[in-house]
Amino acid sequence: MRMQRRYAGIGTLLAVTMLISACTTGSSGSPSGSAAASAAAGTPIDQGAGLCRTVGDLTGTQPSPPAASGTSDAKIGVVTDVGTLDDKNFNEYSYLGAKQGAAAVGAAEPRAIVTQNSADYAKNIQTLVDDKFDLIVTVGFAIGAATLKAAKANPDIHFIGVDQFQAGTDPVAGAGLANYESLVFNEAQAGYLAGIVAASISQSKHIAAIGGSGTIPPVVNYMRGYENGAHSVDDTVQVDLKYVSNDLSVAFNDPTTGKQFADQFLSQNDDVDVMFQVAGKTGNGILQSVEEAGIYGIGVDVDQWLSTHDQAECIVTSAEKHLTKGVQEGIIAFAGGSARKGNVFYGADNDGVGVASYYQFDGNVITDDIKTKVQDAFDGMASGDIDPCKPTNKCYAGKEDKGT
C-alpha cells in the first residue's frame, strides 16, 4: 500500500496571478528562497492514508518590478522553445527575465515569438532579425544550433541563449562570438540538493525522477545530481530515473502524457513516496499524478509551488535555475555597454541555482536537520568541495555524454 500523508485543515488557496523569478526569491549564498512569505507550519497526522495536506496558508508574495535606470531604445525580442509562453516553467520565467531586464534599463517590453514546432526555430529568429531587433533571447538547449547560426550571420545583433552551451573556442566551431552569450546552469547542483531533500523525507526509501527526454543534457544532469544527492544521505535509497519520450513536443509540452506516464509508473512502483519532475509542461501532468497519489513532489527550473499552485499542497520544494536572474543580468550588461560573450556560468558559487522555499512543509516535514544538510551541500558545491556528478560520473560535460 502506498505510503501517504494527510494533513488537517487546509488553508485558503489563493491564485498566484504573477510569476516570481527564482533569483528574487533567494538571497546570495542561500539554497532556498526565503523572501517569499512562508506559510504557517502544520503538523502531519494520519500517516496511513489519504491525500497530502497541510495546515496553513498556501499563498506567497510577489516582488516589485525593478526600477528603471535610464532609458534604452534597444529592441528586445524572445524566441521560446516549443511550448507556450505560460508554461509555468522555462519559457515563462525566461521571458519574465527579459521583461524585468527591459524594465531595468528603461526599454520597451520585449516581443515574444512562441515556437510551435522545432522546425520553426530558425524562421522565428529570422523574423526578429528582419524586424531589426537589437537583442534576441532564445530559450532552451534545442534552439542552440539555430541561435549560433543566426549569431554568426548577424554580428550586429546580440544573442542570449538560455540553457545553451558553446563548445570549444573557435567561432567557426561554435564559440567565441562577441555577440553571443550562452547561459549555462549547473543543473546537477540543483538536482543534488533536491535529492538530499527527497532521500531525507522518504519513508519507503524508494524515490524517483521522471525527465522529459534523456537526449537533453540539462535533463540528465538534473536527474544524475538528484541520484547522487539522495545517495549522499543514504546509499541504500532506491532511485528510479525514467524518461517520457525522445519526441521533444511530447517530452516537454504534453501534460496529459506526463500524467499518464507517471500514473503508470506509480501503479507499478506503489512504494515510491517522492517524485522529482524534470519535464517542463509535461511535468505539470507528472505533478498532477503526484497530487492524486498523495506523495511528495519536487518541481524543476522555477519555484513551482508558486507557479503550479493547484498542486502546491504536495510540492515540497523545487530545484531551481535562476533563469530570470540570468536573462535580466545579460540584458542589463548589454544595455550598459558591457555585453557578455561565450558561456556564462550560473551555479552555487554565484547564486545561479538552488532550491525553492519549503512553505508549509518548513518546520515539520522539512526539519532543521534537513535544512542544514541542504545548506552544507550548497556551500560545499559553491566552494568546489562537492562534485554533484559523483560518484556515478554520469553527467554530461557540456555536450559530451560521460555515460548516461
Side-chain angles (χ1 to χ4, degrees):
M1 181 177 182
R2 182 179 308 286
M3 299 180 67
Q4 297 175 326
R5 296 155 174 79
R6 187 174 189 87
Y7 295 79
I10 184 171
T12 303
L13 180 61
L14 299 179
V16 177
T17 58
M18 185 183 209
L19 289 176
I20 182 173
S21 85
C23 66
T24 56
T25 61
S27 58
S28 180
S30 171
S32 178
S34 58
S38 294
T43 302
I45 63 172
D46 188 8
Q47 295 287 329
L51 294 177
C52 171
R53 291 292 184 265
T54 63
V55 173
D57 182 16
L58 299 183
T59 61
T61 58
Q62 305 303 321
S64 301
S69 56
T71 302
S72 172
D73 59 0
K75 292 179 64 177
I76 301 170
V78 177
V79 178
T80 75
D81 204 346
V82 174
T84 63
L85 197 60
D86 62 346
D87 62 357
K88 310 302 180 189
N89 205 286
F90 216 85
N91 285 338
E92 191 161 2
Y93 275 60
S94 297
Y95 179 59
L96 179 61
K99 291 205 299 183
Q100 290 190 351
V105 301
E109 182 165 317
R111 173 185 172 186
I113 297 180
V114 179
T115 301
Q116 301 299 325
N117 189 296
S118 59
D120 296 331
Y121 287 146
K123 180 185 72 174
N124 291 344
I125 295 172
Q126 189 61 43
T127 296
L128 296 180
V129 170
D130 292 343
D131 287 346
K132 302 186 184 306
F133 275 71
D134 302 294
L135 185 151
I136 299 173
V137 179
T138 64
V139 181
F141 175 83
I143 198 174
T147 304
L148 173 62
K149 184 176 181 180
K152 288 179 180 179
N154 301 279
D156 294 332
I157 299 175
H158 189 73
F159 291 83
I160 298 176
V162 182
D163 225 31
Q164 296 166 24
F165 181 83
Q166 299 180 41
T169 57
D170 181 358
V172 176
L177 297 176
N179 65 319
Y180 178 28
E181 64 177 283
S182 297
L183 308 185
V184 182
F185 296 87
N186 196 323
E187 300 89 6
Q189 290 183 343
Y192 192 90
L193 299 176
I196 290 174
V197 172
S200 297
I201 66 176
S202 174
Q203 295 184 9
S204 67
K205 301 306 177 185
H206 188 182
I207 65 176
I210 296 179
S213 172
T215 66
I216 304 299
V219 174
V220 174
N221 288 345
Y222 264 131
M223 294 172 70
R224 292 302 184 181
Y226 177 77
E227 179 182 29
N228 290 327
H231 285 156
S232 76
V233 173
D234 183 347
D235 61 9
T236 68
V237 171
Q238 180 178 342
V239 185
D240 289 337
L241 307 180
K242 302 295 181 181
Y243 298 96
V244 176
S245 174
N246 287 338
D247 179 340
L248 299 188
S249 63
V250 174
F252 299 105
N253 194 39
D254 191 343
T256 299
T257 295
K259 184 178 185 306
Q260 292 170 347
F261 189 96
D263 285 347
Q264 182 177 8
F265 172 81
L266 290 173
S267 72
Q268 297 168 351
N269 300 271
D270 66 357
D271 63 333
V272 167
D273 57 359
V274 187
M275 176 77 76
F276 177 34
Q277 80 87 359
V278 193
K281 196 169 183 178
T282 297
N284 292 345
I286 296 170
L287 291 176
Q288 184 181 353
S289 180
V290 164
E291 169 80 4
E292 292 180 2
I295 65 175
Y296 292 125
I298 297 177
V300 73
D301 290 334
V302 302
D303 186 349
Q304 291 203 280
W305 190 96
L306 286 172
S307 61
T308 314
H309 54 273
D310 54 336
Q311 282 107 41
E313 295 160 350
C314 292
I315 297 176
V316 178
T317 190
S318 299
E320 292 182 320
K321 296 178 184 180
H322 294 171
L323 303 167
T324 303
K325 173 183 180 179
V327 175
Q328 178 178 328
E329 289 179 350
I331 291 173
I332 291 172
F334 170 78
S338 56
R340 307 179 300 189
K341 66 178 181 179
N343 294 315
V344 180
F345 293 97
Y346 282 93
D349 60 333
N350 60 2
D351 196 33
V353 299
V355 289
S357 293
Y358 306 116
Y359 297 100
Q360 71 272 16
F361 298 105
D362 193 350
N364 47 78
V365 174
I366 304 298
T367 63
D368 288 343
D369 178 63
I370 294 172
K371 288 188 283 187
T372 296
K373 289 177 184 176
V374 172
Q375 184 66 58
D376 287 348
F378 182 88
D379 293 341
M381 290 186 292
S383 68
D385 292 336
I386 294 177
D387 182 348
C389 293
K390 303 292 185 181
T392 61
N393 200 35
K394 291 182 177 179
C395 296
Y396 277 87
K399 291 184 179 180
E400 178 187 0
D401 183 8
K402 297 173 67 177
T404 61

